Amino acid sequence: MRRTPRAVAALGAALALLVSGCAAGPSEQDLLDAVATGPTDELGLLTGKPYDGTHIRLLSCCKTTAQFAALQEKTEREFTAKTGITVEWANIPYESYLQKIVAETAVGGGTYDLVVWPDAYGASAKIGLQPLDEVMRRADRSIDEFSPPFRQAARAGDPDTVYGIPFRGFSYNLFYRKSEYERLGMTPAATWDEFTAQLRRLDGADGRAAFAGQYGRGGGQNLFTWMSMLWSNGADVLGPDGEPAFTTPEGIAATEQYLALLRDGYSPQASTNWTETDSTQSFEQNRTNSVFTWAWQMDDFSDPAKVQPEVADDIGVAPLPGWEGKPTVTYGYTWLMGILNTSEHQGAAWEYLKWVTNADTERDIALDKSDPETATSVVVHTANMLDAEVNAANHELPKLQESALRTARTVPMTIDWPQIQDVLEVAINEMAHGAGIRTELTEAADQIRTLTRR
């Protein structure tokens, strides 16, 4: 689920050109007309199999992701048995997956019925998606089932319309070695100053570096920590007017704090070019004492088959630190699923979307640890994050995530985001290699103004 800078830039340009030249697709009424009515079961599925024999296709990637594998297996075993609808999950390589989204949403390929997309691409994809507000209302479903950043992503920049339902999402957290914190008498830091002081004590402890940062170019992965620091300090990527807002004193201070984790030697020098995978592998391989990453990584960190055995039994997790006297704001990353307005099977597609995003479907999967290939801690419904049984089965992580997501945000919902992201990740990498912070931020802001006004 990672993207390269070149692919992101190309995708952004393609989306901007395609969407600017496309008219709106079929109306929401087409979906309403396609949806059958009648009695429903406990999962909201229509009884009597009105779509029996219908075959629908889902545009997706990353088939081996544990949650996706679990959903596909459960689809075949349960959903098709209940409805008679067969579902084909496409497994497009991620490198070409985002371009495929362009073809299906902006152009209208007609090959697929549903599509999955990461939050940042909703503003571009929504032209090819059916609004879901009315069908959700009729099915007694609400976007309020989810945390604020997930709701934000579902609306894709439109405050009055829901285009997709969250089905995969997570907060950004601090993972650390519990034994070292306990040995040093520390608890996870609440502020960045406290965190820096702790890194001094952790540096070299048990032969490990204090922290595994990620400053390399690779699909905007070096922006996750930076944006969290930026937001928590009262700064922003873009202001209400769409102008760059990260060159304020608060934005500069946040950037300096982020770079200091590397420049002061707490993160290995090699992390100037590390991606998310590099930093998490450093933690998994017992080479670093702490790392910032997504909640779902707990599934890997706690698996002795995937990490050093001494790591698997020694994982602590906590919210990211914040700034003194200010609320902590982290990134709530979301994957959405929606119905393409060119689908000829919109009624059957809605049946599947209801089922796959149902809180009970999600809960069943989160509790099933019978197969390591499909075991997952990912839950996006607030009710499941607060569920005692779900927490007991998943390292008590869901309730921590729910708390963090209350004040979390997602990336700016703008069609220009892929290009903005590319500019910013290059700037972060340049600063990691020694470029001046104020100069680099100013140049990045100038580039973003140029591309957004073009």
Side-chain angles (χ1 to χ4, degrees):
M1 296 188 182
R2 298 174 174 89
R3 48 191 175 266
T4 64
R6 184 173 297 176
V8 167
L11 175 65
L15 283 169
L17 288 171
L18 286 167
V19 174
S20 65
C22 286
S27 70
E28 181 181 13
Q29 190 61 45
D30 294 325
L31 175 57
L32 296 174
D33 291 343
V35 172
T37 58
T40 58
D41 66 11
E42 68 281 359
L43 293 176
L45 297 174
L46 291 164
T47 58
K49 296 186 176 181
Y51 303 107
D52 191 17
T54 304
H55 182 74
I56 59 176
R57 302 188 72 206
L58 169 66
L59 175 58
S60 184
C61 70
C62 321
K63 186 175 183 178
T64 58
T65 299
Q67 182 196 8
F68 289 6
L71 282 169
Q72 290 172 81
E73 191 275 332
K74 193 174 180 69
T75 296
E76 296 171 3
R77 186 180 72 248
E78 297 181 16
F79 176 78
T80 298
K82 280 177 172 286
T83 65
I85 302 168
T86 54
V87 185
E88 178 183 350
W89 281 56
N91 187 34
I92 308 298
Y94 195 83
E95 292 72 19
S96 55
Y97 172 61
L98 297 174
Q99 286 82 353
K100 189 68 174 175
I101 293 177
V102 174
E104 290 296 323
T105 58
V107 178
T111 307
Y112 297 92
D113 302 288
L114 301 115
V115 62
V116 168
W117 70 93
D119 47 20
Y121 296 91
S124 302
K126 66 184 179 183
I127 192 172
L129 297 168
Q130 288 290 29
L132 299 175
D133 303 84
E134 182 59 22
V135 290
M136 289 181 70
R137 186 191 66 78
R138 293 182 182 183
D140 197 26
R141 293 289 300 276
S142 172
I143 202 64
D144 292 333
E145 298 169 13
F146 307 98
S147 298
F150 298 169
R151 300 197 298 263
Q152 182 185 1
R155 294 188 175 102
D158 185 341
D160 301 318
T161 305
V162 172
Y163 294 96
I165 302 180
F167 81 110
R168 178 174 176 82
F170 16 80
S171 59
Y172 197 61
N173 306 285
L174 164 66
F175 287 86
Y176 61 93
R177 296 295 295 274
K178 286 194 299 184
S179 60
E180 286 304 315
Y181 271 65
E182 291 169 359
R183 184 178 68 81
L184 296 168
M186 301 190 310
T187 57
T191 69
W192 290 113
D193 286 344
E194 291 173 3
F195 184 67
T196 300
Q198 291 182 348
L199 291 182
R200 294 192 193 102
R201 302 181 67 190
L202 286 170
D203 194 23
D206 208 11
R208 296 184 288 265
F211 174 70
Q214 45 184 288
Y215 297 90
R217 303 180 192 181
Q221 294 170 20
N222 62 11
L223 302 181
F224 303 147
T225 304
W226 177 72
M227 286 191 296
S228 298
M229 288 182 166
L230 199 71
W231 293 329
S232 291
N233 202 29
D236 212 334
V237 179
L238 300 177
D241 57 357
E243 290 288 299
F246 49 81
T247 57
T248 62
E250 294 81 6
I252 292 170
T255 310
E256 289 173 340
Q257 182 72 43
Y258 179 36
L259 271 297
L261 301 178
L262 170 68
R263 292 182 174 184
D264 291 348
Y266 302 123
S267 184
Q269 187 61 33
S271 65
T272 54
N273 295 313
W274 278 2
T275 62
E276 175 188 333
T277 300
D278 298 316
S279 64
T280 55
Q281 285 183 346
S282 176
F283 186 72
E284 291 170 351
Q285 293 167 4
N286 200 29
R287 293 188 281 114
T288 46
N289 276 313
S290 61
V291 65
F292 298 141
T293 191
W294 306 110
W296 72 264
Q297 288 279 3
M298 178 61 90
D299 296 335
D300 285 352
F301 290 163
S302 59
D303 185 350
K306 296 180 179 179
V307 304
Q308 295 291 326
E310 60 267 38
V311 176
D313 296 326
D314 192 27
I315 302 297
V317 59
L320 256 62
W323 299 82
E324 189 72 46
K326 299 179 181 180
T328 300
V329 184
T330 190
Y331 182 4
Y333 190 93
T334 326
W335 284 69
L336 298 304
M337 187 183 295
I339 299 172
L340 289 159
N341 57 29
T342 52
S343 166
E344 297 181 356
H345 306 293
Q346 292 185 24
W350 173 236
E351 282 299 282
Y352 188 60
L353 183 55
K354 281 190 298 182
W355 178 85
V356 82
T357 63
N358 186 284
D360 289 340
T361 301
E362 176 182 79
R363 185 178 188 274
D364 288 347
I365 290 174
L367 292 175
D368 185 358
K369 306 302 178 185
S370 60
D371 182 355
E373 297 301 315
T374 58
T376 177
S377 61
V378 175
V379 289
V380 295
H381 289 81
T382 299
N384 284 335
M385 292 186 207
L386 297 176
D387 185 289
E389 192 174 355
V390 171
N391 275 279
N394 293 285
H395 313 279
E396 304 296 325
L397 182 59
K399 65 182 179 182
L400 182 149
Q401 172 165 291
E402 188 277 332
S403 178
L405 289 172
R406 292 178 197 173
T407 57
R409 294 179 57 177
T410 189
V411 296
M413 292 287 108
T414 169
I415 193 173
D416 295 311
W417 178 249
Q419 293 165 286
I420 292 171
Q421 174 184 279
D422 193 47
V423 170
L424 290 172
E425 78 161 353
V426 170
I428 292 292
N429 187 246
E430 291 294 326
M431 289 183 280
H433 282 89
I437 290 174
R438 292 173 183 269
T439 299
E440 201 65 33
L441 289 179
T442 300
E443 290 180 358
D446 289 342
Q447 290 180 54
I448 290 170
R449 287 191 191 94
T450 299
L451 72 87
T452 57
R453 293 173 181 174
R454 189 167 53 217

